[in-house]
Amino acid sequence: MASTLAVIMVCVSVAWAAGLHRALRLSVYTEQFLAAVLALALAYVFLTKPVRRLPKGPGRAVDLALAGTALAGGLWLAIYYPDLSLAAAINPMDALWVSVAVIVTLIFALFRVAGWPLTGIVLAFAAYGLWGSALPGQFQALPVSPQRLASQLALDTGGVLGTPLAIAATVVVIFVAFGRLLDHFGGAAFFTDLAAAIMGGFRGGAAKISIVASSLFGAISGSAVSNVATTGIVTIPLMRRSGFRAETAGGIEAVASTGGQLTPPVMGAAAFLMAEFLNIPYSEVVLAALIPAALYYFALFLQADLTAARDGISGMPADERPNTGRVLKSGWLFILPFVALIWALFALNYRPATAGLVACGALVLIGLLLPRAWTRLRPDRLVAAIAAGGPSFAQIVVITAAAGIVIGVLNETGLSFGMTSYLVTFAREDALSLLFLAAFVSIVLGMGMPTIAVYVLLAALVAPALTRLGIEPTAAHLFVLYFGMMSMITPPVAIAAFAAAALTGAGPMRTAFAALRFGWPAFVLPFSFAYNPALILKGSIAAAAVSMILAIAGVGMISIALAGWMTKPLGWVSRTLLGLVGGALILWPVLI
């Protein structure tokens, strides 16, 4: 049953992105489509994530009741949305029951997929919407009746059925399905083998395999933790056998996997939301992220190489490495879907959802040319491959829908304007102080929470304040995205590092601190591009080139200082000087 819901969810999203309703001349509101996808996702969560504190019999009854309520309420909303939205505008009581059913089941499902941190934040915002008018001073909310608040959150485009859910249901689901299909046809194994063939022979080759494979796979997986679990199960044992310490191997894998969501051309779900919030083409987000992502992986690659040199770790033996020619001969076709994706995004200016469909179509066509194509293209196997992505589909849909509750409360109560004014006042009109505050809030909110939820919260609360103080809008949104992502490797709750530690057997905190050392550029570069938009390709080519050269030199110096090795061991004086000069080269826009 649950697998069927997952497949239907994907089919509905693909049909909508392909414009099937327009081809059939059907008049369907976007909100009707979103309500249907949300109903399927909620029911899937209740059927696959049971209540653990209840006995099996009563617990199953509760799960079925919640799944039925969510499915019935969501589908009722999808079918009768035009009438319900009109009734809500005239008399909120007319649509109250379905609004309450959707919101309550959504919060229960959110707890099951994201736990208390995010659920607590959503409940806090909901409480503010109900009783915030009683607060004194700047944070006093506009008075909103419970009936109006419920109907606005459930039915209005500024609430649950808003932009975050629309992006998840049309774009993110398609790219997650693309990742599942790529894995089904053997693409993930091809990229891992290609990384091993190209990088395995160099010193510290196992770590370089991890970096290349995790960056490639992470760009389509959409989750740092799932990336660690998928590629780390192969790369971490390779690093351990070659001589890397357990916490070092875990730290490298965690940082490489986390950076996948910052790496073009696909990036993560938050990047698609960023394009919508900024009202710019997704291709502009990709270009803006290009240089910082390259510097991030350059630093990781260089530190892994210098660590291997320092510790005397050689490359993989020739008999353990795949042959590059054979790997390319057997799997070069897997490169073509990414070529098709980039071509569709940049040459044809397709929307991300359409470009994702083009990539999926290219992948299915390529499946016809692979060995044993009749096996790989069997309908039952394709359906099973897509159904395996059900947990990812449902989690993303539920989280983005819950983010709509936060955005709806911000809009209804006027808190978004009040928060912007408060942050600007608190920082005393100083952009650097506000950037430090935003970085701290991003990391704290991100601890234990999915990146997409962190980004939506910060894009609504913090990014407007940064923009108001003169930070370029794309730089402001990239800034909060970077620090939200870095919560994955920042103690005390560094879930990507903890996942890697589970595979290495090292201590979770030791692994997290090792990841901090390897992932340091993500904590420094955002301050640089916030003050120097040329680093995200906002400005002239000459300015971008100069900024990139200085940043490369600075990143290289700090990486050498942290590794403590260049051609021989370095003393503390040399390492300190290199670190200071490197930091000045990266942060010169902030310092001048």
Side-chain angles (χ1 to χ4, degrees):
M1 179 61 178
S3 297
T4 303
L5 292 175
V7 173
I8 293 174
M9 198 190 320
V10 174
C11 290
V12 170
S13 297
V14 169
W16 183 266
L20 184 61
H21 58 293
R22 290 191 294 270
L24 296 176
R25 298 176 182 264
L26 298 176
S27 178
V28 182
Y29 284 64
T30 301
E31 292 76 15
Q32 291 177 282
F33 154 70
L34 296 179
V37 172
L38 179 59
L40 294 167
L42 293 176
Y44 181 92
V45 169
F46 292 125
L47 292 176
T48 57
K49 292 185 175 293
V51 178
R52 295 181 179 178
R53 295 184 179 180
L54 292 177
K56 187 173 182 181
R60 188 60 177 169
V62 170
D63 294 334
L64 291 174
L66 287 171
T69 302
L71 196 59
L75 292 180
W76 184 277
L77 179 58
I79 295 170
Y80 296 105
Y81 176 80
D83 296 332
L84 288 170
S85 60
L86 181 61
I90 299 172
N91 182 8
M93 290 297 294
D94 292 345
L96 183 61
W97 71 270
V98 70
S99 300
V100 171
V102 169
I103 292 172
V104 170
T105 53
L106 173 58
I107 290 174
F108 275 116
L110 179 66
F111 174 72
R112 297 196 185 191
V113 301
W116 274 117
L118 182 55
T119 307
I121 289 175
V122 171
L123 288 173
F125 273 92
Y128 179 81
L130 291 171
W131 301 296
S133 58
L135 293 177
Q138 193 169 14
F139 289 104
Q140 185 179 43
L142 298 174
V144 184
S145 69
Q147 296 89 346
R148 174 176 171 79
L149 182 64
S151 61
Q152 287 294 105
L153 292 180
L155 302 175
D156 190 73
T157 55
V160 169
L161 304 179
T163 298
L165 179 58
I167 297 300
T170 55
V171 180
V172 179
V173 167
I174 289 172
F175 277 95
V176 172
F178 172 68
R180 298 305 311 176
L181 288 173
L182 186 68
D183 187 50
H184 170 71
F185 287 120
F190 162 72
F191 286 117
T192 301
D193 289 344
L194 183 63
I198 295 174
M199 296 294 172
F202 296 99
R203 67 186 182 193
K208 295 169 184 176
I209 293 169
S210 171
I211 294 168
V212 175
S214 297
S215 64
L216 291 173
F217 187 76
I220 59 172
S221 72
S223 168
V225 176
S226 66
N227 192 6
V228 169
T230 303
T231 59
I233 200 168
V234 175
T235 59
I236 284 176
L238 285 177
M239 286 189 276
R240 294 289 290 124
R241 286 200 302 271
S242 66
F244 283 98
R245 291 194 294 267
E247 61 269 22
T248 301
I252 290 172
E253 176 59 43
V255 173
S257 295
T258 299
Q261 293 184 72
L262 305 170
T263 305
V266 179
M267 302 178 68
F272 299 113
L273 281 169
M274 186 187 300
E276 290 295 322
F277 281 141
L278 291 169
N279 196 25
I280 60 175
Y282 176 70
S283 55
E284 288 191 25
V285 176
V286 169
L287 289 174
L290 192 60
I291 294 177
L295 292 169
Y296 176 93
Y297 276 105
F298 168 65
L300 178 58
F301 196 91
L302 181 58
Q303 286 183 95
D305 179 73
L306 294 174
T307 300
R310 183 193 66 201
D311 297 342
I313 300 172
S314 59
M316 295 172 59
D319 58 349
E320 293 184 13
R321 298 196 308 268
N323 180 271
T324 305
R326 291 175 184 171
V327 171
L328 286 172
K329 183 178 179 181
S330 64
W332 66 271
L333 289 170
F334 289 116
I335 300 173
L336 298 182
F338 291 93
V339 174
L341 175 65
I342 295 171
W343 175 67
L345 280 173
F346 291 93
L348 301 180
N349 291 318
Y350 283 176
R351 294 180 65 83
T354 308
L357 287 178
V358 170
C360 288
L363 189 55
V364 172
L365 290 176
I366 285 167
L368 292 169
L369 304 176
L370 296 173
R372 295 183 294 172
W374 63 274
T375 301
R376 295 178 183 273
L377 288 172
R378 274 174 47 185
D380 60 328
R381 290 178 177 264
L382 285 175
V383 168
I386 293 174
S392 298
F393 302 145
Q395 183 189 51
I396 291 170
V397 168
V398 169
I399 288 171
T400 51
I405 294 178
V406 175
I407 293 173
V409 170
L410 289 173
N411 292 334
E412 285 295 310
T413 60
L415 178 61
S416 57
F417 176 78
M419 181 62 73
T420 299
S421 299
Y422 175 77
L423 288 174
V424 171
T425 303
F426 182 83
R428 299 183 180 181
E429 302 289 335
D430 179 53
L432 184 59
S433 299
L434 187 54
L435 286 172
F436 276 111
L437 177 63
F440 175 76
V441 171
S442 302
I443 292 174
V444 170
L445 281 179
M447 291 178 180
M449 284 175 54
T451 306
I452 191 169
V454 180
Y455 171 71
V456 171
L457 287 172
L458 296 169
L461 293 173
V462 179
L466 293 174
T467 304
R468 182 171 163 180
L469 288 183
I471 303 298
E472 202 277 333
T474 305
H477 281 256
L478 262 181
F479 184 94
V480 297
L481 174 61
Y482 259 72
F483 277 99
M485 275 300 310
M486 287 306 101
S487 65
M488 296 287 175
I489 61 171
T490 305
V493 185
I495 55 177
F498 293 172
L503 296 176
T504 63
M509 294 306 294
R510 292 209 315 272
T511 303
F513 281 110
L516 278 181
R517 187 174 73 252
F518 285 106
W520 68 267
F523 298 93
V524 177
L525 290 173
F527 286 94
S528 183
F529 63 63
Y531 275 83
N532 180 25
L535 205 56
I536 57 171
L537 299 179
K538 298 290 183 180
S540 67
I541 296 177
V546 171
S547 299
M548 184 172 66
I549 291 169
L550 292 176
I552 289 172
V555 166
M557 289 182 180
I558 296 178
S559 297
I560 293 170
L562 288 172
W565 179 277
M566 193 155 59
T567 55
K568 60 181 182 179
L570 298 177
W572 282 107
V573 174
S574 301
R575 296 174 71 176
T576 301
L577 288 174
L578 280 171
L580 290 174
V581 174
L585 290 175
I586 297 173
L587 295 173
W588 66 267
V590 182
L591 300 174
I592 60 174

